[in-house]
């Protein structure tokens, strides 16, 4: 087996590092000191740089101006973005665009994809449902009405909803009983956005749909579309958790190497070294399970379990691992870890958002158990 990345994937990483090199994690107000949102918009200047570096079109094919890469390349770039807490809808916009490319109609592709790849259109996805516990496709109903679809329901915690041009909304068709995806403009009759806030201080949106009518060409009614989108979002979130954790452990290593007690760097104390080593093991497990999941959804390769099993394992490690990494970092930093003039508390807030987005490890363990029961090994 060859575990190395391709030249194209490595080139994407180098481009990402160059773009993110100048990003400051404390470029906006601290969420600990802000009652509302830390900013009214995402980082538009960074978004333009990502577009110039062709990092918004990684997964699009050549006819839409893309590089025709895969989920592994996207996860590599997302990993770099999380190290600096990049405030851009890179995961959501890319995932929505590639879903349109794979499952959407030709008219929708022609109208949307090239502009999304150039950063002129921003897309996001409503993937949390009403509560974050039930499937997002169950939170909205969609019924066909002539050449329109009528949407009713509510989606909560939609990332970047206040600033994206379109929200890709999963819904349950009353006609066929299967999931569809509807592209809803941010400003649209029958669609109301209410403001919510993440633990990171970023704006989220509660999207209420009351007989919102969407043209049939803007609705994806294809088997597997929502499931494919959901898997890519989950795997990308695991990549964000890995990058954030690596950034935090690096920050902790640097601090404990300089901080002295009794005349020695605290990094030389056995209790400190053991805790840091445990978190390093967490990160390597997060990395291994992430690449397994990303490879499965990229290649379509078979296995003893469906790809959802590999994604569940990656989510278990990412959800638990990112929490353990930031908690240990806070402990090893001492009081400065909570100082609002030091960036660690920002990483902690973002890590909590990612942990909540991924969901509890116990739920993924239960899902994995169901898969094992349905697909006996050996």
């Amino acid at each position: 087996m060859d575990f190395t990345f391709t030249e194209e994937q490595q080139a994407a990483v180098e481009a990402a590092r160059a773009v993110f090199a100048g990003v400051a994690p404390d470029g906006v107000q601290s969420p600990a000191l802000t009652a509302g949102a830390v900013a009214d918009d995402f980082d538009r200047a960074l978004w333009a740089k990502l577009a110039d570096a062709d990092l918004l079109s990684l997964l699009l094919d050549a006819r839409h101006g893309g590089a025709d890469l895969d989920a592994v390349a996207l996860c590599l770039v997302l990993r770099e973005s999380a190290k600096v807490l990049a405030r851009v809808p890179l995961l959501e916009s890319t995932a929505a665009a590639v879903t349109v490319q794979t499952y959407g109609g030709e008219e929708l592709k022609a109208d949307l994809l090239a502009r999304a790849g150039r950063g002129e259109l921003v897309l996001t996805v409503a993937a949390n449902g009403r509560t974050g516990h039930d499937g997002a496709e169950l939170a909205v109903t969609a019924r066909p009405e002539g050449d329109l679809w009528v949407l009713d329901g509510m989606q909560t915690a939609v990332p970047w909803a206040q600033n994206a041009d379109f929200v890709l909304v999963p819904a349950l068709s009353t006609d066929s009983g299967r999931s569809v995806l509807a592209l809803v403009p941010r400003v649209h009759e029958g669609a109301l956005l209410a403001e919510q806030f993440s633990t990171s201080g970023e704006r989220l949106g509660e999207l209420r749909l009351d007989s919102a009518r969407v043209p049939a060409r803007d609705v994806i009614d294809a088997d597997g579309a929502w499931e494919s989108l959901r898997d890519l979002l989950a795997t990308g979130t695991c990549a964000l958790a890995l990058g954030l954790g690596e950034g935090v452990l690096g920050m902790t290593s640097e601090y404990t190497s300089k901080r002295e007690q009794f005349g020695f760097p605290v990094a030389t104390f056995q209790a400190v070294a053991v805790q840091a080593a445990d978190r390093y093991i967490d990160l390597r497990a997060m990395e291994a399970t992430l690449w397994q999941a990303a490879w499965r959804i990229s290649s379509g390769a078979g296995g003893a379990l469906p790809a959802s099993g590999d994604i569940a394992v990656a989510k278990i490690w990412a959800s638990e691992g990112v929490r353990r990494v930031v908690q240990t970092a806070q402990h090893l930093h001492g009081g400065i870890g909570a100082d609002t003039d030091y960036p660690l508390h920002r990483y902690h807030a973002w890590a909590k958002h990612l942990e909540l987005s991924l969901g509890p490890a116990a739920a993924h363990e239960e899902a994995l158990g169901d898969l094992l029961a349905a697909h006996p090994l050996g």
Side-chain angles (χ1 to χ4, degrees), residues 291-303:
W291 299 134
Q292 173 70 10
W295 172 73
R296 284 293 302 274
I297 65 174
S298 296
S299 65

Side-chain angles (χ1 to χ4, degrees), residues 19-20 23 41-57 86-94 115-124 160 163-165:
V19 171
F20 294 128
V23 177
D41 200 355
F42 61 83
D43 191 337
R44 294 279 179 174
L46 179 58
W47 189 250
K49 291 179 182 177
L50 290 168
D52 290 341
D54 296 325
L55 292 174
L56 300 183
S57 57
R87 302 180 50 259
V88 286
L90 177 60
L91 170 58
E92 296 81 7
S93 197
T94 303
R115 291 193 293 161
R118 294 192 298 266
E120 299 167 4
L121 282 181
V122 180
L123 311 175
T124 190
W160 315 107
N163 306 108
D165 298 293

Side-chain angles (χ1 to χ4, degrees), residues 164-187:
D165 298 293
F166 292 94
V167 181
L168 196 56
V169 180
L172 194 65
S173 170
T174 59
D175 184 45
S176 64
R178 67 184 185 185
S179 301
V180 301
L181 293 168
L183 199 66
V184 180
R186 182 182 71 248
V187 179

Side-chain angles (χ1 to χ4, degrees), residues 99 125-127 136-137 170 179-181 222 224-231 233:
T99 301
V125 183
E137 74 278 9
S179 301
V180 301
L181 293 168
W226 163 235
E227 291 76 14
S228 174
L229 173 58
R230 183 182 59 200
D231 289 349
L233 289 170

Side-chain angles (χ1 to χ4, degrees), residues 1 4 20 29 35 48 62 75 103 128 172 190 195 228 275-276 279 288 310 325 328 330 355 358-359 370:
M1 297 179 67
T4 59
F20 294 128
Q29 300 181 69
C75 287
Y103 298 98
N128 293 310
L172 194 65
E195 197 170 50
S228 174
Q275 290 183 70
R279 300 295 77 83
D310 293 291
V325 168
T328 297
Q330 290 279 12
E355 180 188 357
L358 288 163
D370 291 341

Side-chain angles (χ1 to χ4, degrees), residues 77-348:
V77 174
L78 290 170
R79 179 189 193 179
E80 297 302 318
S81 76
K83 292 177 182 179
V84 295
L85 305 183
R87 302 180 50 259
V88 286
L90 177 60
L91 170 58
E92 296 81 7
S93 197
T94 303
V98 76
T99 301
V100 170
Q101 175 175 266
T102 306
Y103 298 98
E106 292 301 322
E107 184 181 356
L108 183 59
K109 294 179 190 179
D111 185 50
L112 195 77
L113 294 182
R115 291 193 293 161
R118 294 192 298 266
E120 299 167 4
L121 282 181
V122 180
L123 311 175
T124 190
V125 183
N128 293 310
R130 294 187 185 89
T131 64
H133 298 290
D134 299 323
E137 74 278 9
L138 304 178
V140 175
T141 60
R143 72 177 189 275
E145 190 177 275
D147 59 352
L148 299 172
W149 285 77
V150 183
L151 307 176
D152 289 281
M154 181 180 72
Q155 298 277 359
T156 60
V158 182
W160 315 107
Q162 308 287 350
N163 306 108
D165 298 293
F166 292 94
V167 181
L168 196 56
V169 180
L172 194 65
S173 170
T174 59
D175 184 45
S176 64
R178 67 184 185 185
S179 301
V180 301
L181 293 168
L183 199 66
V184 180
R186 182 182 71 248
V187 179
H188 189 68
E189 185 176 356
L192 177 65
L193 268 178
E195 197 170 50
Q196 296 178 313
F197 303 102
S198 164
T199 59
S200 65
E202 299 295 342
R203 298 170 81 196
L204 303 173
E206 179 188 84
L207 177 62
R208 293 181 178 271
L209 299 166
D210 184 9
S211 296
R213 286 169 164 75
V214 177
R217 71 146 213 164
D218 292 345
V219 175
I220 299 172
D221 183 15
D223 287 333
W226 163 235
E227 291 76 14
S228 174
L229 173 58
R230 183 182 59 200
D231 289 349
L232 181 55
L233 289 170
T235 306
T237 305
C238 291
L240 292 171
L242 173 63
L244 187 149
E246 289 176 328
V248 166
L249 190 61
M251 187 187 310
T252 305
S253 174
E254 182 179 0
Y255 176 78
T256 56
S257 296
K258 295 177 179 178
R259 176 78 167 89
E260 291 190 359
Q261 284 187 353
F262 312 113
F264 297 94
V266 298
T268 63
F269 298 166
Q270 185 178 31
V272 172
V274 167
Q275 290 183 70
D278 284 343
R279 300 295 77 83
Y280 177 82
I281 293 170
D282 276 336
L283 290 173
R284 297 291 68 81
M286 290 165 66
E287 183 178 16
T289 54
L290 164 66
W291 299 134
Q292 173 70 10
W295 172 73
R296 284 293 302 274
I297 65 174
S298 296
S299 65
L305 294 177
S308 56
D310 293 291
I311 295 168
V313 174
K315 289 165 76 174
I316 291 167
W317 276 104
S319 177
E320 292 279 292
V322 75
R323 175 178 54 79
R324 287 194 291 258
V325 168
V326 294
Q327 286 180 344
T328 297
Q330 290 279 12
H331 176 63
L332 296 183
H333 272 83
I336 195 174
D339 191 330
T340 56
D341 291 328
Y342 189 75
L344 181 58
H345 76 287
R346 297 174 182 270
Y347 284 86
H348 204 156

